[in-house]
Amino acid sequence: MRAIITVVGKDKVGIIAAISSLLAQNNVNILDISQTIMQGFFTMIMLVDLKECKLKFSELKELLMKKGQEIGVDVNMQHEDLFNSINRI
Amino acid sequence: MFTSQEIIETINMVKQSNLDIRTITVGISLFDCCSDIPQRFIDNMRKKIIKYAGNLRNVANEIEDMFGLPIVNRRVALTPISLLTFSYSYEDLIKVAVAIDEIAKELEVDLIGGYSAAVHKSYDENTKKFISSIPDALASTERLCSSVDVGTTRSGINLDVIAYLGFIIKDIAQKTKDKDSFGCARFVVFANAPDDNPFMAGAFHGTGEGDCCINVGISGPGVVKRALEEKKDASIDEIYETIKKMAFKITRAGQLVMQYASKKLQIPAGIVDLSLAPTPKVGDSIAEILEEMGLEKVGGYGTTFALALLNDAVKKGGAMAATFTGGLSGAFIPVSEDSGMVRAVEAGALSIEKLEAMTSVCSVGLDMIVVPGDVEAEVISAIIADEIAIGVYNNKTTAVRVIPAYGKKEGDEVNFGGLLGRSKVMSINRSSPKRLIERGGRVPPPIISLRN
């Protein structure tokens, strides 16, 4: 299963490191990553593969959101199919 | 990979514009549960509902997690109970109603529909007994929903039953007076009722349906409104196009949820209802869309025009996005459930007469309208008759969900809480239609019924 992770917040040192190391610890493979400043906010978008991840979707989501709170950014994870459905015919 | 723009837009649809799925509704046929012994029917029914909908709550929660898309309601729709309980006594009917309600509570299903009857042509003593049980059935339950179909374009209008329902609605209001006559919010009168509608209070599993299926009702007025906010100076055709595109995206989300739920629950997928359904939350209102199009207040001249194009654009966009569509499909215009509508009523801009005109171009009808508690039963019947006539003569579904709030006067406030919202008691035309309603009988179907 693949998912889209988005991270939005005020830019600072270590956001990518914090999120990607959490993913690595849980065997989540990052397939694509892009980052930009949109409307003054740091915005990171990741496409990840959860095939090897032992956690349930909701558990991983919970961990990511907690990590986001720690470092002061808003983290979200959604199944890739939502974006496929809405944006692709 | 998607563009950042697409991803941000999709996330904003959910986070800032209140995009949600209004309901996943599991429709269940109860024909194989019938028994002349009421308790056996209840046991069979219980087993079957649990078999199909037992896991509904978990699956809906899982979908919320996976897609980050809130699912506001989990619902069950049953075969119209009046068809299954023909020989039952009044007491047994209430027992069945209470049993259904208990199953809903046990499964943590928000609403369960199907305490319903179709009497669009005529009705016998058993069905009349069933309809007479509706006030007690609703007063003894919390989640049970009920509906009666009183007219179709093919068969005409049953004025006898419309006359009777005025008293039934007053009775429901009186029996649930402790909760602002809340029981009336769980009862709807239909013309041309569809078999596969996932929206309450009118959801039931029609006789032409299979053993079980999943129907999804979409929501998302906030998303449409936000899209229009970026089109301040656009011409009306551009507005139309924008709504159509948004409706497509919203419906795709609904279709995805249905496919996923169908797979997980191992129940066949049914229809996506192409409806914009408001909630009392600010920013999730049909009225606000119409105002964003350029009306100072919804209810003013131009409202019917704006609603008609909104409705058509939603259907065109949605039809492309879903394989099977059905139900009520269109924009809903309930009063108490829509914060913008409530504001318009409070400002004196929106009247029942204007709402009636609006129902000729949108989904359903006079919905969640609170009127003074002392209104005569015949006036309620006449409100129903008007609305049913719009449906029958225009070959569309219409419905009435009116609440004569017991003990309340015009201008008082009622509050149902949750999705059903709050509203001021609306003013009403008091001239008496008593002689007309008391004539009773059946109105022959219109000439368009002969289209063969």
Side-chain angles (χ1 to χ4, degrees):
Chain A
M1 183 205 303
R2 306 202 307 183
I4 302 272
I5 296 173
T6 49
V7 181
V8 180
K10 227 175 140 221
D11 197 12
K12 63 180 192 182
V13 177
I15 299 176
I16 298 179
I19 301 295
S20 55
S21 60
L22 175 70
L23 294 175
Q25 281 159 26
N26 290 290
N27 292 320
V28 178
N29 191 21
I30 300 171
L31 302 174
D32 201 344
I33 180 165
S34 77
Q35 136 204 12
T36 174
I37 303 289
M38 277 180 82
Q39 292 155 359
F41 284 104
F42 169 85
T43 306
M44 174 166 75
I45 297 167
M46 288 170 155
L47 175 66
V48 299
D49 189 343
L50 305 177
K51 212 166 44 208
E52 305 294 328
C53 179
K54 298 280 182 287
L55 297 177
K56 276 204 269 183
F57 193 95
S58 55
E59 290 168 342
L60 180 63
K61 190 171 168 178
E62 185 72 34
L63 276 184
L64 282 165
M65 284 163 86
K66 267 201 194 129
K67 179 60 81 184
Q69 274 167 10
E70 271 172 40
I71 56 175
V73 290
D74 195 10
V75 186
N76 222 327
M77 178 167 76
Q78 282 155 292
H79 194 296
E80 182 196 28
D81 281 354
L82 178 70
F83 301 90
N84 263 326
S85 293
I86 288 184
N87 296 301
R88 298 284 181 269
I89 294 181
Chain B
M1 185 73 171
F2 309 96
T3 66
S4 316
Q5 208 63 40
E6 285 170 335
I7 288 175
I8 299 294
E9 186 200 53
T10 305
I11 288 169
N12 281 345
M13 280 169 79
V14 179
K15 288 224 147 185
Q16 282 162 29
S17 312
N18 297 319
L19 175 66
D20 52 31
I21 298 296
R22 173 52 73 87
T23 173
I24 300 182
T25 303
V26 177
I28 302 171
S29 164
L30 297 181
F31 281 120
D32 55 354
C33 300
C34 283
S35 168
D36 52 358
I37 304 164
Q39 191 54 48
R40 192 172 295 164
F41 169 62
I42 289 171
D43 292 343
N44 292 343
M45 176 171 70
R46 196 167 180 282
K47 242 183 256 160
K48 188 155 186 193
I49 297 173
I50 289 173
K51 177 181 157 199
Y52 283 126
N55 210 17
L56 173 60
R57 198 188 141 74
N58 290 340
V59 168
N61 291 350
E62 192 185 318
I63 291 173
E64 282 187 330
D65 257 337
M66 286 278 218
F67 301 115
L69 203 58
I71 294 164
V72 184
N73 265 205
R74 295 106 174 99
R75 296 169 176 172
V76 170
L78 305 172
T79 304
I81 298 297
S82 64
L83 300 176
L84 314 169
T85 54
F86 237 61
S87 56
Y88 291 11
S89 68
Y90 190 92
E91 291 69 32
D92 286 333
L93 288 170
I94 303 300
K95 220 185 272 174
V96 169
V98 170
I100 295 173
D101 202 54
E102 277 166 2
I103 299 168
K105 283 179 191 156
E106 191 182 320
L107 298 184
E108 296 183 55
V109 162
D110 300 288
L111 291 169
I112 189 159
Y115 201 79
S116 306
V119 288
H120 41 265
K121 208 158 187 177
S122 174
Y123 63 155
D124 54 32
E125 282 308 310
N126 275 316
T127 314
K128 189 164 188 187
K129 181 173 63 191
F130 178 83
I131 292 174
S132 76
S133 78
I134 290 172
D136 276 328
L138 292 178
S140 345
T141 56
E142 285 169 16
R143 304 184 185 198
L144 182 72
C145 289
S146 174
S147 63
V148 177
D149 196 14
V150 300
T152 66
T153 301
R154 285 271 165 179
S155 63
I157 302 172
N158 184 344
L159 186 59
D160 281 329
V161 76
I162 289 176
Y164 184 40
L165 287 175
F167 292 94
I168 291 287
I169 289 172
K170 289 269 291 184
D171 198 18
I172 301 171
Q174 199 266 332
K175 287 195 161 114
T176 56
K177 63 181 177 188
D178 300 341
K179 295 176 188 158
D180 283 345
S181 299
F182 173 70
C184 296
R186 289 185 283 126
F187 176 68
V188 62
V189 184
F190 267 120
N192 293 322
D195 277 0
D196 52 11
N197 156 35
F199 287 101
M200 296 294 178
F204 60 83
H205 191 70
T207 53
E209 298 281 314
D211 198 40
C212 185
C213 70
I214 290 181
N215 297 328
V216 166
I218 56 170
S219 179
V223 180
V224 174
K225 192 205 168 211
R226 194 166 265 262
L228 295 190
E229 280 169 5
E230 284 162 24
K231 301 273 170 188
K232 290 281 181 222
D233 301 316
S235 67
I236 203 72
D237 44 322
E238 225 178 297
I239 293 288
Y240 186 89
E241 199 56 25
T242 306
I243 298 169
K244 213 166 77 180
K245 283 180 185 151
M246 272 302 150
F248 175 82
K249 293 188 176 195
I250 296 167
T251 311
R252 290 285 283 190
Q255 174 82 9
L256 170 71
V257 164
M258 185 164 73
Q259 278 163 348
Y260 196 86
S262 161
K263 206 167 93 194
K264 280 278 169 178
L265 290 166
Q266 294 180 308
I267 296 174
I271 56 102
V272 179
D273 190 311
L274 310 179
S275 289
L276 293 184
T279 68
K281 251 191 272 178
V282 173
D284 204 18
S285 150
I286 302 295
E288 285 175 16
I289 297 177
L290 302 179
E291 288 169 2
E292 189 58 43
M293 280 191 211
L295 298 169
E296 187 185 347
K297 267 271 177 289
V298 70
Y301 299 115
T303 305
T304 311
F305 166 83
L307 180 61
L309 80 88
L310 167 67
N311 213 54
D312 192 55
V314 166
K315 285 183 194 172
K316 282 185 187 151
M320 168 81 180
T323 315
F324 291 102
T325 55
L328 300 168
S329 287
F332 282 89
I333 51 166
V335 175
S336 73
E337 294 173 14
D338 185 313
S339 58
M341 292 282 182
V342 173
R343 275 200 304 278
V345 168
E346 283 168 350
L350 182 61
S351 67
I352 292 183
E353 285 67 28
K354 188 64 183 181
L355 280 162
E356 184 188 317
M358 290 160 74
T359 64
S360 63
V361 296
C362 79
S363 137
V364 205
L366 290 171
D367 198 14
M368 292 303 286
I369 287 165
V370 188
V371 298
D374 65 348
V375 56
E376 296 81 10
E378 291 82 7
V379 171
I380 294 179
S381 293
I383 291 173
I384 295 172
D386 279 344
E387 191 56 41
I388 297 308
I390 290 176
V392 166
Y393 288 91
N394 293 294
N395 206 8
K396 73 189 284 291
T397 302
T398 52
V400 176
R401 191 160 50 145
V402 62
I403 301 151
Y406 191 86
K408 302 274 177 170
K409 294 185 302 295
E410 187 186 328
D412 288 353
E413 194 176 300
V414 295
N415 198 340
F416 304 116
L419 267 186
L420 297 167
R422 62 171 192 96
S423 174
K424 275 226 161 12
V425 178
M426 294 181 78
S427 77
I428 193 165
N429 186 327
R430 298 273 186 165
S431 74
S432 176
K434 200 165 179 326
R435 265 186 64 221
L436 172 70
I437 296 301
E438 282 181 349
R439 285 180 192 276
R442 181 159 72 94
V443 181
I447 193 73
I448 47 170
S449 70
L450 296 179
R451 193 175 58 186
N452 278 320

